[in-house]
Amino acid sequence: NLGFTLLELIIIIVIMGIFAFVVTIKFPGTSVNLKAQTEQLTNDIRYTQNLSMARNQHYRLVIPSPTTYEVQNAVGTTDYSVTLGSGIASIAGDTIIFNSKGVPYSDDSTPLASVQTFVLTNSGGETASASITPTPGRVTTS
């Protein structure tokens, strides 16, 4: 007899189902990467704000390229730099500066007048954003 029994086919189908389930869990889609990267950006904006208050000087978050952002001190020295993860195509937004009290500024002398938004886009065209409100400098993710 050269064929498979019904029991053998059922066992193979169950094993393949379990394998497919495990592979799906281990390899999340780019939307998960987009959400995680947006959360990291939001936390880094808050960190920049906290640095400015803790060190009593201006700190800024700068986007030098479509796939990186940097935290810089008052004289422009980079404290650290982040390169976006795989699956993230770009980040868009203007430089945000925090004074020594954590108040957001659009440049060295102009307090933020409206909500500042940083938009991340993944390779599939989906977007997520991190926003800063002018007063009291609250940072949110959407």
Side-chain angles (χ1 to χ4, degrees):
N1 194 2
L2 298 174
F4 294 105
T5 67
L6 184 58
L7 181 61
E8 290 170 330
L9 287 174
I10 291 173
I11 290 172
I12 289 173
I13 290 171
V14 168
I15 290 172
M16 289 175 59
I18 292 170
F19 178 73
F21 178 75
V22 169
V23 167
T24 302
I25 289 173
K26 296 288 183 185
F27 294 100
T30 55
S31 62
V32 172
N33 292 335
L34 179 63
K35 182 178 179 185
Q37 194 74 65
T38 305
E39 284 295 328
Q40 180 183 358
L41 172 61
T42 301
N43 290 334
D44 287 339
I45 293 169
R46 288 181 184 130
Y47 175 70
T48 305
Q49 186 178 34
N50 288 330
L51 269 177
S52 68
M53 292 184 292
R55 296 188 179 165
N56 200 28
Q57 65 173 300
H58 287 76
Y59 269 84
R60 68 191 79 218
L61 189 123
V62 179
I63 302 173
S65 79
T67 57
T68 61
Y69 62 88
E70 298 177 348
V71 174
Q72 299 176 351
N73 65 14
V75 294
T77 304
T78 300
D79 201 54
Y80 72 93
S81 178
V82 174
T83 300
L84 299 175
S86 64
I88 307 299
S90 68
I91 181 173
D94 295 324
T95 297
I96 189 75
I97 302 166
F98 292 98
N99 71 5
S100 60
K101 296 189 185 317
V103 176
Y105 279 66
S106 55
D107 62 39
D108 285 328
S109 60
T110 309
L112 196 61
S114 61
V115 174
Q116 168 90 17
T117 303
F118 294 91
V119 179
L120 283 88
T121 307
N122 68 12
S123 52
E126 298 172 304
T127 61
S129 61
S131 300
I132 306 149
T133 58
T135 304
R138 183 172 165 223
V139 184
T140 57
T141 302
S142 57

